[in-house]
Amino acid sequence: MNCNACIFFLLVFFFFTLNSITVASKGSASESESYILACGASSEGTDSDGRKWEPDTKYVNSSGKSITATADSQDSSLPSTVPYMTARIFTSASTYKLSVPRKSRLWVRLYFYPSTYSSLNANTSYFAVTANELQLLKNFSASITAQALTMAYIIKEFSLTPVESGNLDLTFTPSPDYDDSYAFVNGIEIIPMPDIYNSAVVVGFTDQMLDLTNSSLQTMFRLNVGGQFIPASNDSGLTRTWYDDTPYLFGAAVGVTDQANTTIKYPTPNVPKSIAPLDVYSTARTMGPDPKVNANYNLTWVFYVDANFTYVVRFHFCEFQLSRSNQRPFNIYINNQTAQNGADVISWTGSKGVPFYKDYSIMVSDQIGDDQLWVALHPTVELKPEYYDAILNGLEIFKLNDQNGNLAGPNPVPSVLKLEAEAKKEFSSSGSSKSTIIGGIAGGAAGLAVAAIISIFVLRKKRGLSGSKSGSHNWLPLYGNSHTSASKSTISGKSNASSHLSSLAQGLCRHFSLPEIKHATKNFDESNVIGVGGFGKVYKGIIDQGTKVAIKRSNPSSEQGVNEFQTEIEMLSKLRHKHLVSLIGFCEEDGEMALVYDYMANGTLREHIYKGNKPTSSLSWKQRLEICIGAARGLHYLHTGARYTIIHRDVKTTNILLDEKWVAKVSDFGLSKTGPNLNQSHVSTVVKGSFGYLDPEYFKRQQLTEKSDVYSFGVVLFEVLCARPALNPNLSKEQVSLADWALHCQKKGIIEDIIDPHIKAEIKPECLKKFAETAEKCLSDHGIHRPSMGDVLWNLEFALQLQDNPNGGKLVSESKGNDTYGINRQMLSIEEEGSLSEDTDDTSKNEIFSQIVHPSGR
Ligand SMILES: *[C@@H]1O[C@H](CO)[C@@H](O)[C@H](O)[C@H]1NC(C)=O
Ligand SMILES: *[C@@H]1O[C@H](CO)[C@@H](O)[C@H](O)[C@H]1NC(C)=O
Ligand SMILES: *[C@@H]1O[C@H](CO)[C@@H](O)[C@H](O)[C@H]1NC(C)=O
Ligand SMILES: *[C@@H]1O[C@H](CO)[C@@H](O)[C@H](O)[C@H]1NC(C)=O
Ligand SMILES: *[C@@H]1O[C@H](CO)[C@@H](O)[C@H](O)[C@H]1NC(C)=O
Ligand SMILES: *[C@@H]1O[C@H](CO)[C@@H](O)[C@H](O)[C@H]1NC(C)=O
Ligand SMILES: *[C@@H]1O[C@H](CO)[C@@H](O)[C@H](O)[C@H]1NC(C)=O
Ligand SMILES: *[C@@H]1O[C@H](CO)[C@@H](O)[C@H](O)[C@H]1NC(C)=O
Ligand SMILES: *[C@@H]1O[C@H](CO)[C@@H](O)[C@H](O)[C@H]1NC(C)=O
């Protein structure tokens, strides 16, 4: 899937929702010259924010043919009936004639609710809108746009240069390209505004400025970076709406967010109140506490825009964590070009807590279908700064009218949009949860990295105190059979594990003393043992007067332990994600080694699905689905979120843990790999240990890719659906391997027959279909045919939506019944498990691997 595309669609989605209805801003001096028109309304109306909308009748040119109409139906997502439920419909060109102040820029906001009006279907409406000479919209279909963005309504915002004549003609013209086309509009706002656009640095020509005073603009995006949605009523007087930036973040490396706790000096001579509300400056996104990670990634936002226009990108900054210049210089890139080298907020503002903004302009041309706008931040490493980091508080993107006085772009392309937007939404929500977990950087003297770690501990401690259930669950993954291979690795020194740890990992991890560990586990009391693995025993423990933790103690005689210990610390200390089990710290003293983790109150996923070979009924289908989504997020993060692709290598239901709120956490990174360092002895051993979950291609090519995790996750999905182990030797031969059996049933369309009876009544057919298809794709023989974890993630999210809202999908009742089942069982072709020969033929190797050969040779 093209992820940029999904980002785009959500961007557009947000852009079109840019302004929900706004509250009258009493403070605005020019309020009297504002027009807030409910088109087609017969009398004044008030919206949900208490704002008054006046009928448009007296402003519209009566010679143009127009009718007023009321929408046939009211979508539940409309913020209020005014102005959406009434419309003015134009069957020929018609003009609103408005007198406006001559010296003032104007906001023009147009509200569209594409519904059916008096039997006129908005699907047939294509039209153009001009404001005097300026083309705002052309061949515009509100219906396509809204459909594409899964929005019920659309709002477009423009800022017009002052109209010298004082007369603004807003003309609606039905498209001549379509028969019976008509134009419509539900609401119009014309509001004088201060001139907040001056000049912008031209990217690529840093000594050149683009004068904006003669440009009209369309607002494309307006984001409160690292902060929350700000409704128009909370804007600083300009009734703008500010959105959360997470949907636009690119990749899984999304930095961390923080909220200022110092007073911000505002407004300033450089930043009048009209530029942005204080809320924008008091939240920020930074790159995160790890300088090594930061040096290797770009904090990136991606926006889809209309090609062949010049855009102004406005950056809002406020440094509220650091106070000296050159502590955190960073580069700003727009579309891979350097917009600013060594941006240093303190040197711009002079001191901490002072807002600042800067505009850059860039032309987005139409080469190779390029209609993206990438904004990226990266530490200026060559300045050797104190912090390898970057900060951003707000971001706005405006489209400038072209030389022909045009601002209109094409309609978005529907259908794809819908799904893409969902996918993007999914990615973004995973992003935001991540930043929540990582928590706020306290800022200031202590140093960012240290401060961040401390705040994590504080958060964790609070969580621990606020009541995780006690239980004797096996909460933590043990190093199982699959990991014994590590003993073949060479060990270059064993006594002092931490000396092998990068200083970075040590810096990121809390260091526990042995007495602390002993105290936590009552001197490793056997009654506290909650699991045993290759590495040693795992104990339940309590630290910091009440935080429950799990402590994995190394078996001092195990050399394998040293390596796994290091791998786990190295991996986990750098990976922080809501859906990855958290490493709190480690202890390395007197030949003892121990790892301290968050306690997972609800144990493993497997124990909640089946015990032994019997299904358990403790989790509903929806809970299971949500757990799968969580685990998929964790894996997606592993694959894409860190500096290297990290391959888990042992995805299974016992390595998906559940915390007290049933949030899924992927665990066990002792042998996870960052790809290039694999050696084959690991591979062959793993093949034995994880049979049932193992990627046939991995086995065949002895080459690990992240798609091996996808395969294993496919098995997990079927395990969750069917409530049975990946391998169950007690069953008839064709059923021993869940992967093969489930694939077979899926292909025959009888998957309903093998799902867990506990969930059968609950699961919606549409949801089942999507879920099973997703699992099936994960089990494709060839990695390239398997979806990425990101795709899996959104398919599961989609399945969850289908469960919640099956949209009247039809019931799947066919192919049920014993006859079908019996026939299919007979038709199943069964082959003996082959020997592990060196046959080079791909197919035969696949067959060796599979216990059942798939009839169609998938
Ligand atoms: C109404 O608008 C049309 C189209 O812009 C224009 O041709 C016509 O002169 C206008 N009539 C009046 C009375 O303003
Ligand atoms: C507009 O068309 C889309 C698909 O082409 C359809 O789903 C939708 O129901 C139509 N809208 C109306 C109001 O008929
Ligand atoms: C802006 O427009 C005014 C009036 O047309 C003109 O006098 C002025 O030179 C223009 N400024 C720029 C920078 O183009
Ligand atoms: C808007 O401002 C009001 C008053 O300051 C505040 O109570 C409210 O929480 C704000 N709303 C949002 C969404 O920020
Ligand atoms: C952009 O401009 C080029 C050259 O004028 C033209 O060929 C292309 O179709 C335009 N692209 C769009 C999306 O308008
Ligand atoms: C920026 O560079 C990356 C990698 O070189 C490329 O994938 C991406 O398409 C480029 N973006 C733009 C807008 O040129
Ligand atoms: C960050 O973006 C710039 C500009 O596109 C690019 O040159 C650089 O290689 C990127 N750095 C990383 C670490 O991705
Ligand atoms: C108008 O928009 C529709 C839908 O996006 C598109 O199919 C059509 O080609 C456009 N027509 C013109 C003349 O641009
Ligand atoms: C605010 O940040 C400072 C460091 O900049 C920290 O010492 C202080 O505890 C923080 N205050 C709050 C309330 O978080």
Side-chain angles (χ1 to χ4, degrees):
M1 151 175 316
N2 176 353
C3 206
N4 299 337
C6 21
I7 295 168
F8 157 52
F9 295 128
L10 205 69
L11 298 187
V12 178
F13 169 98
F14 273 84
F15 151 51
F16 283 121
T17 62
L18 202 61
N19 288 276
S20 56
I21 309 183
T22 52
V23 166
S25 49
K26 295 192 201 93
S28 165
S30 11
E31 186 68 17
S32 55
E33 293 155 307
S34 300
Y35 299 89
I36 301 174
L37 306 180
C39 303
S42 51
S43 60
E44 191 172 85
T46 307
D47 68 21
S48 53
D49 281 333
R51 193 182 207 196
K52 287 205 163 44
W53 294 72
E54 116 182 77
D56 63 336
T57 324
K58 66 182 181 206
Y59 305 107
V60 71
N61 171 340
S62 55
S63 81
K65 291 189 200 109
S66 81
I67 54 169
T68 63
T70 303
D72 284 1
S73 61
Q74 181 173 353
D75 190 278
S76 59
S77 71
L78 290 181
S80 75
T81 55
V82 180
Y84 297 99
M85 286 303 287
T86 61
R88 183 167 297 274
I89 290 172
F90 312 96
T91 51
S92 66
S94 307
T95 303
Y96 285 91
K97 290 200 170 289
L98 305 160
S99 83
V100 295
R102 290 162 197 269
K103 296 233 149 54
S104 183
R105 265 189 182 271
L106 301 170
W107 283 135
V108 173
R109 295 187 182 119
L110 303 177
Y111 294 72
F112 302 102
Y113 173 43
S115 175
T116 300
Y117 296 95
S118 318
S119 80
L120 279 172
N121 185 332
N123 280 5
T124 64
S125 154
Y126 289 83
F127 57 98
V129 180
T130 57
N132 290 350
E133 306 301 302
L134 183 70
Q135 186 94 45
L136 301 182
L137 298 170
K138 197 162 48 186
N139 188 36
F140 172 67
S141 165
S143 180
I144 290 178
T145 308
Q147 241 178 60
L149 305 170
T150 64
M151 288 292 296
Y153 60 98
I154 296 163
I155 303 159
K156 296 225 167 200
E157 181 186 274
F158 305 90
S159 171
L160 270 47
T161 50
V163 177
E164 312 244 323
S165 66
N167 295 317
L168 179 67
D169 285 6
L170 200 60
T171 303
F172 290 77
T173 312
S175 168
D177 301 330
Y178 296 84
D179 294 342
D180 304 327
S181 191
Y182 65 94
F184 76 98
V185 63
N186 301 84
I188 298 173
E189 278 180 49
I190 312 283
I191 306 178
M193 63 181 286
D195 196 346
I196 56 172
Y197 307 103
N198 293 308
S199 58
V201 176
V202 180
V203 173
F205 305 88
T206 39
D207 53 340
Q208 283 185 34
M209 301 293 281
L210 179 68
D211 191 310
L212 304 178
T213 46
N214 282 355
S215 289
S216 292
L217 306 92
Q218 178 180 354
T219 310
M220 302 297 282
F221 307 98
R222 180 173 287 137
L223 308 179
N224 179 17
V225 174
Q228 292 177 341
F229 172 81
I230 301 172
S233 51
N234 283 24
D235 188 34
S236 52
L238 268 65
T239 56
R240 293 164 298 199
T241 307
W242 300 74
Y243 289 88
D244 174 14
D245 67 317
T246 47
Y248 311 101
L249 283 161
F250 176 73
V254 299
V256 298
T257 62
D258 194 17
Q259 169 109 37
N261 74 356
T262 51
T263 313
I264 291 179
K265 298 170 201 76
Y266 175 80
T268 72
N270 285 333
V271 183
K273 198 165 170 247
S274 55
I275 294 296
L278 186 56
D279 280 353
V280 168
Y281 292 112
S282 59
T283 57
R285 184 176 299 278
T286 58
M287 295 184 76
D290 185 337
K292 224 165 155 186
V293 169
N294 295 356
N296 284 291
Y297 89 98
N298 282 346
L299 184 56
T300 305
W301 294 258
V302 180
F303 305 91
Y304 264 72
V305 294
D306 301 322
N308 286 350
F309 284 97
T310 296
Y311 291 85
V312 169
V313 184
R314 171 168 294 184
F315 294 79
H316 296 270
F317 299 109
C318 181
E319 177 61 85
F320 51 72
Q321 293 171 332
L322 305 175
S323 48
R324 282 177 288 117
S325 60
N326 209 33
Q327 279 183 300
R328 174 151 61 185
F330 55 92
N331 294 350
I332 300 172
Y333 302 107
I334 302 178
N335 272 4
N336 291 353
Q337 296 185 60
T338 304
Q340 180 80 47
N341 238 318
D344 185 353
V345 179
I346 293 289
S347 77
W348 281 333
T349 61
S351 63
K352 189 176 173 180
V354 178
F356 187 76
Y357 73 95
K358 196 153 181 181
D359 292 344
Y360 298 88
S361 71
I362 190 159
M363 170 75 190
V364 175
S365 61
D366 193 24
Q367 291 151 1
I368 30 170
D370 239 347
D371 39 6
Q372 301 173 4
L373 208 134
W374 294 58
V375 173
L377 307 180
H378 188 73
T380 312
V381 291
E382 59 273 22
L383 291 179
K384 304 232 178 317
E386 193 172 343
Y387 299 105
Y388 279 24
D389 203 354
I391 184 171
L392 185 61
N393 304 64
L395 190 68
E396 290 175 278
I397 298 179
F398 306 101
K399 175 164 69 175
L400 301 190
N401 67 273
D402 65 17
Q403 65 275 23
N404 304 322
N406 177 45
L407 270 171
N411 289 314
V413 183
S415 73
V416 198
L417 289 192
K418 212 164 181 170
L419 297 175
E420 307 280 42
E422 310 230 6
K424 184 53 201 141
K425 210 151 56 186
E426 166 52 33
F427 290 133
S428 70
S429 61
S430 96
S432 72
S433 55
K434 190 183 313 163
S435 36
T436 315
I437 283 299
I438 295 178
I441 295 177
L448 293 178
V450 175
I453 295 301
I454 289 168
S455 66
I456 290 166
F457 289 139
V458 170
L459 281 174
R460 182 168 291 134
K461 190 167 165 183
K462 281 197 193 126
R463 256 188 295 152
L465 288 172
S466 64
S468 47
K469 280 177 277 170
S470 70
S472 57
H473 292 294
N474 173 14
W475 49 277
L476 192 80
L478 305 172
Y479 289 125
N481 310 338
S482 60
H483 286 153
T484 51
S485 58
S487 58
K488 291 185 182 160
S489 311
T490 53
I491 292 158
S492 53
K494 65 171 192 175
S495 55
N496 187 354
S498 64
S499 68
H500 305 136
L501 294 175
S502 65
S503 55
L504 173 74
Q506 292 190 53
L508 286 172
C509 263
R510 176 165 168 190
H511 203 136
F512 288 88
S513 69
L514 187 55
E516 268 178 287
I517 297 292
K518 284 186 168 165
H519 180 73
T521 57
K522 300 193 183 124
N523 201 15
F524 299 115
D525 192 312
E526 283 298 307
S527 70
N528 278 3
V529 172
I530 49 177
V532 181
F535 179 71
K537 287 179 178 167
V538 182
Y539 299 80
K540 190 168 67 180
I542 293 187
I543 58 165
D544 301 336
Q545 283 88 44
T547 306
K548 280 214 180 79
V549 293
I551 298 176
K552 201 184 311 193
R553 181 195 195 188
S554 79
N555 180 346
S557 66
S558 152
E559 294 200 321
Q560 164 194 348
V562 180
N563 273 2
E564 293 194 356
F565 184 81
Q566 288 165 14
T567 311
E568 184 109 357
I569 294 178
E570 291 282 352
M571 290 277 179
L572 270 183
S573 62
K574 288 172 220 161
L575 298 170
R576 300 268 169 206
H577 190 270
K578 183 180 179 184
H579 296 287
L580 299 183
V581 86
S582 300
L583 181 67
I584 296 176
F586 67 95
C587 165
E588 190 272 314
E589 215 171 279
D590 280 353
E592 279 287 354
M593 291 183 299
L595 296 172
V596 182
Y597 302 87
D598 244 355
Y599 182 77
M600 293 290 120
N602 278 314
T604 68
L605 170 58
R606 176 181 296 178
E607 67 189 290
H608 296 285
I609 298 174
Y610 56 88
K611 291 220 166 81
N613 291 325
K614 269 181 63 183
T616 57
S617 55
S618 56
L619 288 178
S620 71
W621 170 242
K622 238 182 114 172
Q623 277 178 305
R624 293 182 198 195
L625 199 44
E626 273 157 0
I627 288 164
C628 290
I629 288 168
R633 276 188 191 144
L635 289 171
H636 175 57
Y637 173 74
L638 278 184
H639 290 175
T640 62
R643 182 175 160 194
Y644 302 110
T645 293
I646 295 170
I647 302 165
H648 186 282
R649 295 215 300 177
D650 201 13
V651 175
K652 52 186 179 185
T653 43
T654 45
N655 280 342
I656 297 171
L657 305 182
L658 302 168
D659 74 4
E660 72 277 10
K661 293 189 179 122
W662 301 97
V663 173
K665 315 241 179 193
V666 176
S667 70
D668 201 349
F669 300 88
L671 285 189
S672 296
K673 283 291 173 189
T674 53
N677 302 326
L678 288 175
N679 81 46
Q680 295 200 346
S681 72
H682 289 172
V683 173
S684 57
T685 315
V686 174
V687 166
K688 270 184 205 158
S690 294
F691 196 64
Y693 288 94
L694 200 78
D695 171 10
E697 197 177 40
Y698 170 22
F699 170 79
K700 185 177 69 206
R701 292 169 54 206
Q702 311 242 314
Q703 217 176 55
L704 192 58
T705 73
E706 68 270 34
K707 292 296 179 69
S708 302
D709 284 351
V710 173
Y711 183 92
S712 308
F713 192 70
V715 179
V716 166
L717 293 179
F718 275 126
E719 212 175 329
V720 163
L721 183 69
C722 306
R724 54 151 285 186
L727 286 182
N728 182 354
N730 300 334
L731 294 173
S732 65
K733 195 146 195 167
E734 69 270 26
Q735 298 189 41
V736 167
S737 160
L738 172 61
D740 292 336
W741 177 235
L743 272 186
H744 170 80
C745 296
Q746 168 68 5
K747 278 223 215 65
K748 295 287 174 201
I750 55 164
I751 193 78
E752 311 92 290
D753 289 319
I754 65 163
I755 70 177
D756 182 353
H758 293 110
I759 55 169
K760 209 159 182 172
E762 188 198 347
I763 190 167
K764 297 277 195 311
E766 295 82 353
C767 176
L768 173 61
K769 183 161 176 285
K770 189 83 207 162
F771 185 90
E773 275 171 12
T774 306
E776 181 187 17
K777 287 202 195 96
C778 291
L779 295 184
S780 298
D781 278 342
H782 297 286
I784 53 163
H785 298 140
R786 291 174 209 148
S788 69
M789 270 325 290
D791 294 344
V792 173
L793 183 52
W794 93 256
N795 273 292
L796 293 177
E797 185 72 24
F798 192 57
L800 180 61
Q801 288 179 7
L802 289 173
Q803 177 71 19
D804 286 333
N805 177 20
N807 267 336
K810 57 184 187 311
L811 280 171
V812 180
S813 55
E814 65 276 21
S815 81
K816 277 206 178 161
N818 287 334
D819 283 355
T820 323
Y821 187 67
I823 289 164
N824 285 325
R825 282 178 68 156
Q826 279 165 19
M827 284 162 56
L828 189 64
S829 76
I830 300 160
E831 292 196 10
E832 292 295 324
E833 195 177 335
S835 64
L836 305 180
S837 72
E838 281 304 304
D839 196 328
T840 51
D841 173 43
D842 284 357
T843 320
S844 78
K845 277 207 169 176
N846 279 341
E847 290 171 2
I848 290 162
F849 198 78
S850 292
Q851 292 200 330
I852 299 167
V853 174
H854 314 137
S856 68
R858 288 172 45 88

